[in-house]
Amino acid sequence: IKVCRQFIGWCVASYHLDRIPRGDNLFPKYQTESTAKAVSIENIRQIWDKADDRVKTYIALGLNCCFTQSDLASLKFSHLQNGYIIRNRNKTGIPTKFKLWKVTKTLIDKTKAIDNDNHLVFLTAKGFPLIHYKSTDGVMGRGRTDAVAQAFNRVVRSVRLNGISFGNFRDTSA
């Protein structure tokens, strides 16, 4: 948007436009202010104190590596390499490399699943991926189960905090 504003300014200055388009905001369709919602240190401590080791692992990876639920659910053993997580982002495919904090490594070692057919680091208690889809009424893809959000939301409710989701840890770490 900044470049577009500069371009319009150049167009006016070089007489390609006779005037600047009306309105203070040339691009009202695009939001230019951040919508990130970081979690305060006090709230992180409250959640951390009530969380079990699995939820602490999720939080540590969310803060340490900017992980979302889908990043956690798709983390494979091959991504863990000598104190680093090396993988491509799910959404963008961009290669990433994160150095793990000591607490993150310790929690992963405590809570990781036994190597499995999917080679996923984390599974539910029933052996499913953390995010999975079950077929309801014969149609595949309906009924999404997100074990990360469920576990995290239980802890958030127990400390009576409203408006905090697991995705906020990505905003907090970035």
Side-chain angles (χ1 to χ4, degrees):
I1 292 175
K2 183 179 177 183
V3 173
C4 290
R5 287 180 194 272
Q6 291 172 343
F7 175 71
I8 289 172
W10 174 82
C11 288
V12 170
S14 60
Y15 302 106
H16 292 290
L17 283 176
D18 58 346
R19 62 183 172 77
I20 294 179
R22 289 186 301 159
D24 293 336
N25 189 353
L26 295 174
F27 306 99
K29 178 178 169 185
Y30 301 101
Q31 187 171 358
T32 57
E33 294 183 23
S34 173
T35 58
K37 184 178 178 187
V39 182
S40 71
I41 292 173
E42 181 181 321
N43 288 345
I44 292 171
R45 283 189 181 122
Q46 285 180 289
I47 295 167
W48 187 268
D49 290 342
K50 283 281 188 176
D52 63 9
D53 284 342
R54 291 212 28 115
V55 175
K56 284 181 181 179
T57 305
Y58 304 155
I59 292 169
L61 283 165
L63 292 171
N64 187 171
C65 306
C66 303
F67 270 18
T68 62
Q69 292 103 300
S70 61
D71 293 320
L72 286 167
S74 63
L75 185 65
K76 295 186 176 186
F77 284 101
S78 62
H79 298 150
L80 301 173
Q81 299 177 21
N82 299 322
Y84 289 87
I85 291 180
I86 302 171
R87 64 177 296 176
N88 294 338
R89 276 272 183 220
N90 287 342
K91 186 174 175 181
T92 61
I94 295 173
T96 58
K97 181 177 182 179
F98 298 101
K99 181 170 178 39
L100 295 175
W101 301 331
K102 185 177 180 179
V103 67
T104 308
K105 286 188 334 192
T106 303
L107 286 165
I108 290 171
D109 289 340
K110 268 189 189 178
T111 60
K112 67 183 175 189
I114 298 169
D115 200 0
N116 50 74
D117 293 340
N118 295 328
H119 307 290
L120 296 173
V121 176
F122 303 112
L123 297 173
T124 66
K126 293 182 179 178
F128 292 111
L130 294 178
I131 296 176
H132 63 277
Y133 300 86
K134 46 189 163 182
S135 175
T136 57
D137 66 357
V139 179
M140 188 62 187
R142 299 201 183 167
R144 179 180 190 261
T145 301
D146 184 342
V148 177
Q150 289 174 351
F152 181 79
N153 290 338
R154 267 192 303 273
V155 175
V156 169
R157 280 192 306 273
S158 76
V159 293
R160 296 178 178 12
L161 294 173
N162 295 325
I164 296 176
S165 69
F166 187 78
N168 296 132
F169 284 110
R170 182 172 168 85
D171 297 335
T172 304
S173 66

